Each structure stands twice: as structure tokens, then as C-alpha cells.
Amino acid sequence: MSRHGRHDDHSENGREDLFADPYAGGYTQPPVDRTGPADPQRSDRGYRYDDPYAPDPYARDAYGHDPHAGDPYGEGHSGGAPSAGRPGPDDHETTVLNFGPGAFDGPPPGTVDGPPSGAPGYHPHATAGRPEQGYVDDDHADQDYGEQGYGEQGYDDGGHLDDEYPGGYSYAARDDYRDTDRRDDYADYVDDDADDDTAEQRAVPAAVGGSDHPARRDPKARKRKRRGRVVGALAAAILLLVVAGGGYLAYDRLLGPDLPPDFTGPAGPAVVVQVAPGDTAGEIGSEFVDKGVVASSAAFYEAAVQNSGMNSLHPGFYQVPTNIPAVDAVAALVDPASRVGALVISEGRQLHDIRDVNTGAVRKGIYTLIAEASCHGDAAAENCITYEELDAAGSTPDLQALGVPEWARDAVANVPDRRRQLEGLIAAGSWDFDPTAEPVEILARLVSESATSYDSTGITDAAARVGLTPYEMLISASLVEREALPQDFAKVARVILNRLEIDQMLQFDSTVNYELDETELATTDADRGRVTPWNTYAKVGLPATPISSPSIGALQAMENPEPGEWIYFVTIDDKGTTLFANSYEEHLQNTELALASGILDSGR
């Protein structure tokens, strides 16, 4: 079945008549001058050739039919005998429309008259004489058949109803079954130089032999295909716009004319900037702008996102030059040598320096570590806070200004030595401080942050549970830190609580050494005999202050001591092996092992 309702089983005679040249051998009349007036009935075509032998192509009978429809070539031509007096094929290049064999299939349209317009079942696009097969629903009268696979029969898959064919021929030439609009459309495709009457009187072959594939004949499938093409084209266009826009933005941002303000140097004096926990690159950039390091936070941000070192940047304080390009500022920031005010306090560290009796090595105190970390500025003229300045600041009676937590203020206010009042209140761990700040401000920062760390363990509630004050818990934890290794922390904590409960002296050598400038594991009888606020050989109870900075582990051991009845313990070798005893006799046996190993020998 053809796309216009005709079956594909037309006779061979019909095919031969279609392609026979009706003017063969009869071209004797020269072409008519086309400079004459325009066809009044076809004004849209301009000037045309007037054939004196051709019937009027626009004549219609009472039903609107062409009176020559039964004879498509006019005056009885049926494809066999030529008509005398017709113009020759070589007189003008457009006088003959040549078609290749097999280009069309079926008889020429218009050879059989159809019912008049408006008759039941009639449609202008129906096949003449075959209304039952040529009927076309009005809703689909203008359907595009170009996508139904007619290219298999030599047709163009252009998607237009007036499909064009090789040589310029188109379905639009069939004026018999075209409405006025479609004739006007056809005029746009007709060459103005063509022989008007000769070309217009020729029958137009019908398109037949379309694909029988159901999907190709299904209008819905055709619509889906067309819709898919439109959607695909739109998606491709949008993607192209996104890619082009992104490329433009990248260019405009990195290389374009609207680059953010940036310094070009030379570098100015170094300043200290802070990177707070959780800071973004934009926030760091704002800090750099405030300190005069970079010209704009936008320039800093652009440089930061291109430097992988920013991914491993730690919170803290950094020294960087001023008035430098953002790229150099970021490079300086990620350089480990730029870090200042970074402090690491090990477990058991004291405020002041001490010297080991056996090795002579000096163990730096917390004040010395702070002084070294405070150095900043140019190498030739570094600014550092001194040990003495920190010692004086730590002795200040204004405990609130020093950041002393409220739960420790009463006890600290009554310590026997003001220089030691901050002992234990600066916890072991890693700390950062602004080296440009005043000594009191530096100490206050470290003390207050340490108090927050202690509070996080639940020190206040735990102290009430074990029968001590929070400050006494801190003192006891400092003893645990100095007397045992971590694996024995909970047992030593139990020994402290058991002795305090029965008012027995603690007798810890660490309390004897605390007041001394020189320390060792063993102590002499003279040292143990000295009465001090810290010597637990000379007094009952706890020392007057902590004797070092305890670790969080030691504090947690005091908060959760291991159950037991131990009263004594002694370290028996240099590996730190510690034995615990419930009775004094057992303790003496353990002490003999320590003496035999030489661990208790004094270096004095």
C-alpha cells in the first residue's frame, strides 16, 4: 500500500505510460518569449512561457475538477504519440523533466476522476477513484510522510509532504489535489525559467511502495522519533552552552581582564596571622587582607585553591611578609618554617627547668618552651618573650587574668610559693598562642584552654565521687604521672586514695625532687628529711600544688582507680617494672629486688 492509499500491484502498462515522453519527436516550436505579461491566475509565479497549444491548466468544471484529468497531457495524449508543434527539448534547459527508471512506482495521479469536493468520504489527498482506500482523516491530512521510510523507494527523507525528487520534481506539482496554500508552496520550488504550461500539464507520479515496517507507518512512532531528535538537539545545545560558559568563566576568572587586585611587591615587614580551626580559604584571605599581606581576599582564594599544601594546613599562627602577591602569600603560609607560637608540652613537664643528676641534661620547663616558641620577626632582629618575663607573669595575684578555673582559684590563692601557682594548670599536649601577645595573655590562653580540656573529663563530678576536690584530683594526677608508667596508672591512683584514707604518708620520691633543681629517681636521706610543702616524706597528705603537668590519661586514672587494697609499690628495674603490695613485709621483699638491680642507687 502506498502512502496515499494505493496498492502496489499496478500494471506494467501504467508504469510504461508514466515514463513515456509524450513530446518525443515533436519538438518543433521554438520557446515562447517570456517577457510577456504575468499569468493573472498565477501571479505568485511571475512570468511564464505561453504555449498556444496547451489547454488552460486552471480551467475547472462545475465540480472543481480539471477537464483534462482523464488525459494528463492534454488533447488526448496518453503517453504514446507526440503532439505536433511542441517546443524542442534543447530550446531551453528547463523544458524537460527527466526521471531515472524506477524512480516512481504506480500510475500518474489524476488519471481517474474522484468524487466532488465535499462528497462523503472524500478528501483532497485521497487517491482518485479509490475513496475507500484514499480516505484520509482530517486530523492527519497534513501528516509528514518523509520519516516513514520512503527513502527505500528512492524518496528523500526530508520530512516534507511536498517531497522533492531528483531533477527538481515535487509532489507539489499536482495542482489537481492540492489546495490553494499548497499550490502557493509549490510555486516556491518551481524554477521561474521553466516552461510553464508544458511542465504544469504533465502528470505527477504518485509515491507508492512505502516501508511495511509497523514502526515506520505508526504516526506515534514518527512523532516520538521527531520529538527525540528535538530533545537531543536541545540537550546538545544546552551542553554546548554550559561548556562554553564554564570555559569563559574559567578564563575570565584566571586569565580574564577582571582579575582581583593583587600586590606585586616588594615584600614588607613580616606579620603574624592566625588560622582558626574550621577557617575557610575565604576567611583566611580576609585575615591576610586585614594584616596587609595581600591586596584582596579574592586573589588569595584563587591562589589557595591552586596550592595543594592548603589541604594539610593546621590551625595556628603563621608569620608571613606583607605586600606580596597572593601566590607567594599562600606559599609562605604552607611552609612549616612559617609556623610560630606552636608549643608541645610533654607529660610530667614542670614550669621551671630542672637538671638530671646522673646525666647533667637540663630538662626545659614550660616557661622556657613558651619563650622559644614566641620568637618572631626577621631573623636579624627576632622578637622573643623571655623566661623571666613569663615567670613574673605567672606569679601575678590576679588569677582570673591568668585564666585559672573557678574550681581551683581558692587553693591556688593560698599556695606557699607564688612562682609555682600555675603548676599543673597548663596541661600536657599541643598548644598554639599568639607570640605577639603580652606574657600574661599568653599564659591566660594556655591555662584557660587546659581547664577546658580537664573539664571535658568530668573532673568535678569524679572528684566528688572519690572524696577529693577538683584541684586535689589535679595534684594526685600529677603524682601518678611522675611515679608510674601508663599501664600502672590506675593501680598507683588506688594506692594514693588508700593511703589518704588512713592518713598514711605518701612518701613519694617525686615530691622530694620537685623543689630541687637537680633530680633523680633515687633520693638521699638528707633530701627526704627536708620539710617542704611538697615533700610527702615530711608531711601527711598531698603536696601543696601539682608537681607537673599531668596527662589526660593520668587524670582519668584518678577519676576511675582500679579496685584493690594496695598500700605500697616500688619500681624494681630501669624498664619501669612496678610491684604492688598490701603489707609492709611484702613491700620490703620487693624493695630488695629494686636494690639488687641498682635502680635505687643515688648519683650524688
Side-chain angles (χ1 to χ4, degrees):
M1 180 78 70
S2 71
R3 76 177 192 181
H4 289 289
R6 288 191 176 91
H7 286 283
D8 297 331
D9 55 351
H10 298 294
S11 64
E12 291 299 323
N13 291 334
R15 297 175 184 268
E16 292 175 0
D17 288 346
L18 174 63
F19 298 106
D21 187 355
Y23 306 118
Y27 301 101
T28 59
Q29 180 68 27
V32 180
D33 185 5
R34 60 174 175 174
T35 60
D39 185 349
Q41 299 182 17
R42 301 291 286 177
S43 59
D44 59 325
R45 302 192 184 188
Y47 295 101
R48 59 190 179 87
Y49 294 103
D50 292 327
D51 187 351
Y53 302 100
D56 184 358
Y58 297 101
R60 295 292 184 270
D61 58 16
Y63 290 95
H65 289 192
D66 186 352
H68 303 286
D71 186 358
Y73 300 109
E75 299 185 7
H77 284 286
S78 61
S83 175
R86 296 292 181 180
D90 299 328
D91 292 336
H92 195 278
E93 61 180 355
T94 61
T95 55
V96 178
L97 300 175
N98 296 314
F99 303 96
F104 300 98
D105 195 10
T111 56
V112 181
D113 288 341
S117 177
Y122 174 78
H123 191 280
H125 295 273
T127 303
R130 300 292 296 275
E132 70 281 5
Q133 296 187 21
Y135 176 81
V136 179
D137 190 345
D138 288 340
D139 294 336
H140 303 281
D142 294 327
Q143 290 286 351
D144 181 358
Y145 294 91
E147 296 178 5
Q148 292 194 10
Y150 293 105
E152 298 175 15
Q153 299 293 334
Y155 304 152
D156 179 21
D157 191 19
H160 297 285
L161 187 60
D162 294 334
D163 302 305
E164 294 186 1
Y165 295 92
Y169 187 80
S170 70
Y171 272 106
R174 294 182 300 170
D175 294 334
D176 292 348
Y177 297 103
R178 295 289 182 183
D179 53 23
T180 302
D181 292 338
R182 295 189 179 275
R183 281 202 304 272
D184 292 342
D185 292 341
Y186 167 66
D188 296 335
Y189 293 92
V190 176
D191 189 347
D192 288 340
D193 294 334
D195 287 339
D196 55 342
D197 289 344
T198 301
E200 291 174 13
Q201 292 185 53
R202 296 194 179 188
V204 181
V208 296
S211 171
D212 291 333
H213 195 286
R216 292 181 178 270
R217 294 198 302 270
D218 184 2
K220 294 183 178 179
R222 183 176 64 257
K223 289 182 179 179
R224 287 193 299 270
K225 182 177 180 182
R226 182 185 307 166
R227 187 163 52 249
R229 290 178 178 175
V230 173
V231 172
L234 288 176
I238 292 173
L239 179 61
L240 180 61
L241 289 175
V242 170
V243 172
Y248 173 78
L249 289 177
Y251 168 81
D252 184 66
R253 192 159 191 154
L254 300 178
L255 302 174
D258 296 331
L259 293 176
D262 201 3
F263 290 140
T264 58
V271 294
V272 174
V273 295
Q274 180 182 8
V275 176
D279 272 358
T280 64
E283 292 169 335
I284 298 173
S286 297
E287 171 80 2
F288 274 43
V289 172
D290 294 341
K291 294 294 182 71
V293 178
V294 297
S296 65
S297 58
F300 178 86
Y301 179 84
E302 296 293 351
V305 297
Q306 299 180 61
N307 192 316
S308 60
M310 290 291 292
N311 296 329
S312 56
L313 186 67
H314 294 283
F317 294 85
Y318 296 84
Q319 175 179 279
V320 293
T322 56
N323 197 51
I324 58 176
V327 172
D328 295 343
V330 173
L333 178 62
V334 300
D335 184 355
S338 298
R339 188 85 176 268
V340 293
L343 177 66
V344 177
I345 299 176
S346 59
E347 298 83 351
R349 188 80 58 170
Q350 296 177 198
L351 285 175
H352 303 91
D353 297 345
I354 59 176
R355 188 178 69 86
D356 186 88
V357 171
N358 295 312
T359 64
V362 175
R363 191 182 193 199
K364 295 178 181 179
I366 293 175
Y367 286 158
T368 297
L369 296 177
I370 295 175
E372 292 176 350
S374 70
C375 296
H376 63 281
D378 297 332
E382 278 191 330
N383 297 314
C384 304
I385 297 174
T386 65
Y387 174 93
E388 290 76 17
E389 290 175 327
L390 290 167
D391 188 33
S395 302
T396 247
D398 188 350
L399 302 183
Q400 185 174 358
L402 288 173
V404 176
E406 188 174 351
W407 48 259
R409 286 179 191 171
D410 289 343
V412 172
N414 296 305
V415 298
D417 187 349
R418 193 59 61 192
R419 293 181 62 240
R420 301 177 187 272
Q421 68 180 359
L422 294 185
E423 193 74 81
L425 290 173
I426 300 178
S430 299
W431 307 104
D432 290 289
F433 64 90
D434 184 357
T436 64
E438 295 297 323
V440 171
E441 296 174 341
I442 293 174
L443 294 176
R445 177 186 178 95
L446 297 176
V447 171
S448 61
E449 290 185 358
S450 296
T452 300
S453 180
Y454 293 148
D455 288 338
S456 67
T457 67
I459 185 174
T460 303
D461 294 337
R465 187 171 59 249
V466 299
L468 301 176
T469 68
Y471 188 68
E472 289 174 336
M473 291 283 288
L474 193 60
I475 294 174
S476 301
S478 70
L479 300 178
V480 171
E481 188 70 56
R482 293 297 301 273
E483 289 287 334
L485 295 177
Q487 62 265 27
D488 296 322
F489 278 176
K491 285 185 176 181
V492 173
R494 175 54 64 185
V495 170
I496 293 174
L497 292 175
N498 288 344
R499 286 200 174 195
L500 290 176
E501 186 177 3
I502 62 176
D503 290 333
Q504 183 174 339
M505 290 182 178
L506 295 178
Q507 295 182 331
F508 288 170
D509 290 310
S510 58
T511 62
V512 174
N513 287 325
Y514 173 71
E515 194 186 20
L516 301 174
D517 292 334
E518 297 181 338
T519 63
E520 61 178 345
L521 181 61
T523 56
T524 65
D525 292 339
D527 292 335
R528 291 192 294 271
R530 296 174 64 241
V531 178
T532 70
W534 294 273
N535 183 3
T536 57
Y537 276 95
K539 67 184 294 284
V540 176
L542 295 169
T545 68
I547 62 174
S548 69
S549 293
S551 64
I552 296 300
L555 181 58
Q556 291 174 331
M558 281 303 307
E559 294 170 353
N560 300 280
E562 186 169 332
E565 297 179 358
W566 309 292
I567 301 295
Y568 305 95
F569 69 92
V570 61
T571 300
I572 64 173
D573 57 33
D574 56 6
K575 295 179 181 180
T577 304
T578 302
L579 300 179
F580 295 83
N582 296 339
S583 64
Y584 184 68
E585 291 75 15
E586 184 181 1
H587 173 62
L588 290 178
Q589 294 175 0
N590 294 336
T591 302
E592 291 296 329
L593 297 175
L595 292 172
S597 69
I599 190 79
L600 297 180
D601 294 345
S602 174
R604 293 189 174 92

